[in-house]
Amino acid sequence: MTPQEIIALGVFIAVYVAIISEKIHRTVAAMFGASVVLLSGIVPWEKVPHYLDLNTILLLAGMMVVVNVSRESGLFEYIAIKTAKLSKGDPMKVLLFFSIVTALVSAFLDNVTTVLLLTPMLLYITRQMKVNPIPYLLAEIFASNIGGTATLIGDPPNIMIGSAAKLSFNEFIKNMTPISAVDLILMVTLIYLLYKKELKKAEVSLSILNLREEDAIRDRKLFKKSIVVICLVILSFFLHDTIGVEPAVIALSGASLLLLWSGESPEKALEKVEWATLFFFGGLFIIVGSLEETGFIAQVGEWIVRQIHSETEAILLISWLSALLSAVIDNIPFTATMIPLIKSMGSTLNTYPLWWALSLGACLGGNGTAIGASANIVVLGIAYREGIRITFKDFLKVGMTIMVITVGVGSLILIARYG
């Protein structure tokens, strides 16, 4: 190995260890690693724009602004109460409807935002119904990760994959949404079977019907404007391939339109943008770029290709490897590492189905453990503060079963279509 390869690989491993150990903030680790490969000249300054995936970063930033402004109106609390009332206080229907709503919202907003908005309301509703909140919280976590798998903008790995492989919003809908729908049904069924006794024992709570969704609306004008802009953004995502506009441009246009129309303070909206996440992405892209620059990724890709003899083998390997690793490590750096590897397989394999296998494993692997996805940590943290304890072991028993079933079924669907 050349000195440059050793430095690039050393930085990559050190940053990964720092992220997993959580002793250093992941953004600091990624920024420091990026600084080392830039200072050492492994990634030339003029190539930084090439490796810095602005489509991913700006798409995330735009959607964060849309969500930050919309949440001030009470829109998401309104949706939660409406969902609870639709169930008419039936414990099983609440589980089913909340799972569907969580998956739908997660398909268009990031998972952390979704669970941050819905978990307090879910806990409030389960308290009103006097039922065990654990099956509902678990279903919410799994539904957010399954829903995030369904679209281009649902989960950061999908945004990264879509940008790198030039896959459109509609291609994600065509390939990943059916898998997510099947997996959601399986997940709700499994939660029902596991907690059947408790759900059957719980009584229908008529107090839910006394909740007023109108009371959740804090700013009626902003509420209406938010709905209009979110609908326009989603419609534009569906049409972006036809009209030839990048998803990042749509997200930024939606954010600027909502700010202009609502008159909301841009300082306030931008203050809540998760800048640490965006800088984490930026640093990571440059570190992975250093592995590409030295030729290391091409060598690993060639070695993997020599072990694989068909698309079916590649789909199985990528989906399961991604799922198992994403259950224990952050799926964002993992996806960033896999993207150039899959690109390097393009000389001998059709990489189109492999992108879906990567999306499947990276997004659904997060359901495997309590630390598999940021949404899991957020929900468990909120629950803990409310005195509800779900241990790592308790989560593992249900989460790993859900992960194995959903990834197994998803990979079989992919093989049936492309194998």
Side-chain angles (χ1 to χ4, degrees):
M1 288 177 84
T2 66
Q4 285 205 325
E5 282 178 327
I6 293 170
I7 295 172
L9 189 60
V11 167
F12 176 77
I13 292 170
V15 169
Y16 242 106
V17 170
I19 292 170
I20 294 168
S21 68
E22 295 182 351
K23 287 186 177 169
I24 302 173
H25 193 287
R26 65 179 191 168
T27 304
V28 177
M31 286 175 68
F32 186 76
S35 304
V36 172
V37 295
L38 286 171
L39 286 169
S40 58
I42 296 173
V43 176
W45 178 248
E46 58 272 18
K47 283 200 173 178
V48 169
H50 169 72
Y51 290 120
L52 212 55
D53 188 345
L54 286 178
N55 199 28
T56 296
I57 292 173
L58 296 179
L59 175 53
L60 278 169
M63 289 308 292
M64 284 174 186
V65 172
V66 171
V67 171
N68 289 341
V69 176
S70 303
R71 78 200 302 177
E72 297 298 320
S73 69
L75 172 64
F76 301 105
E77 290 90 337
Y78 177 90
I79 293 171
I81 294 175
K82 197 82 180 165
T83 305
K85 288 182 76 171
L86 197 64
S87 70
K88 295 183 176 166
D90 184 313
M92 190 53 219
K93 283 185 183 170
V94 170
L95 181 82
L96 176 65
F97 291 164
F98 251 92
S99 299
I100 293 172
V101 167
T102 304
L104 280 174
V105 176
S106 287
F108 298 101
L109 305 180
D110 78 88
N111 298 352
V112 172
T113 305
T114 303
V115 296
L116 269 174
L117 296 166
L118 295 182
T119 305
M121 193 50 64
L122 182 61
L123 287 173
Y124 173 74
I125 287 164
T126 52
R127 272 198 297 271
Q128 290 281 319
M129 294 170 61
K130 297 182 181 149
V131 292
N132 178 7
I134 290 178
Y136 296 91
L137 292 169
L138 289 175
E140 186 196 18
I141 290 172
F142 302 140
S144 74
N145 291 322
I146 291 170
T149 315
T151 68
L152 167 70
I153 55 170
D155 216 354
N158 280 3
I159 297 175
M160 296 162 73
I161 292 166
S163 175
K166 306 290 178 205
L167 297 170
S168 70
F169 190 83
N170 290 340
E171 280 177 287
F172 268 88
I173 296 282
K174 191 175 145 194
N175 286 281
M176 299 311 290
T177 301
I179 293 176
S180 294
V182 172
D183 282 346
L184 187 67
I185 294 168
L186 291 171
M187 183 278 288
V188 174
T189 307
L190 190 69
I191 292 285
Y192 172 73
L193 292 174
L194 288 172
Y195 294 93
K196 189 164 56 177
K197 282 185 185 172
E198 291 179 52
L199 291 170
K200 276 189 171 175
K201 206 163 55 183
E203 293 175 5
V204 171
S205 171
L206 296 177
S207 61
I208 292 291
L209 300 176
N210 296 326
L211 295 175
R212 282 170 45 85
E213 59 270 34
E214 289 79 11
D215 293 343
I217 302 172
R218 293 186 287 275
D219 184 332
R220 195 162 288 277
K221 282 185 182 172
L222 181 59
F223 179 84
K224 290 178 183 171
K225 289 171 184 173
S226 299
I227 292 175
V228 172
V229 172
I230 288 174
C231 289
L232 276 175
V233 167
I234 292 171
L235 180 66
S236 304
F237 279 137
F238 277 109
L239 298 174
H240 82 92
D241 222 20
T242 313
I243 57 180
V245 178
E246 289 292 328
V249 177
I250 293 169
L252 288 176
S253 303
S256 54
L257 174 64
L258 189 55
L259 282 170
L260 187 68
W261 194 16
S262 67
E264 290 290 304
S265 158
E267 285 86 359
K268 201 174 161 189
L270 291 171
E271 204 175 65
K272 292 177 186 168
V273 166
E274 294 167 43
W275 293 108
T277 303
L278 301 182
F279 273 88
F280 171 64
F281 270 103
L284 204 61
F285 288 145
I286 292 173
I287 293 166
V288 174
S290 73
L291 293 176
E292 272 192 78
E293 198 65 27
T294 57
F296 180 80
I297 283 184
Q299 290 173 41
V300 175
E302 284 167 16
W303 181 84
I304 292 175
V305 166
R306 284 200 295 275
Q307 318 306 313
I308 294 172
H309 303 97
S310 67
E311 272 83 21
T312 301
E313 284 181 22
I315 289 170
L316 284 172
L317 177 73
I318 291 171
S319 57
W320 283 101
L321 179 71
S322 307
L324 292 171
L325 288 177
S326 294
V328 288
I329 60 173
D330 197 317
N331 60 9
I332 294 170
F334 175 77
T335 306
T337 313
M338 286 299 290
I339 283 171
L341 269 175
I342 293 180
K343 278 185 177 175
S344 70
M345 295 178 192
S347 55
T348 52
L349 291 172
N350 172 18
T351 55
Y352 189 75
L354 308 190
W355 296 116
W356 308 124
L358 176 60
S359 166
L360 181 79
C363 297
L364 296 183
N367 279 335
T369 68
I371 57 164
S374 303
N376 310 7
I377 298 167
V378 169
V379 173
L380 296 183
I382 296 172
Y384 188 78
R385 284 201 300 276
E386 297 288 327
I388 303 156
R389 191 153 180 253
I390 303 173
T391 65
F392 190 91
K393 202 174 159 186
D394 291 340
F395 189 98
L396 191 70
K397 283 182 197 164
V398 188
M400 202 45 84
T401 311
I402 297 281
M403 189 197 88
V404 169
I405 291 173
T406 53
V407 174
V409 170
S411 54
L412 286 176
I413 293 173
L414 285 179
I415 288 170
R417 288 190 71 175
Y418 299 109

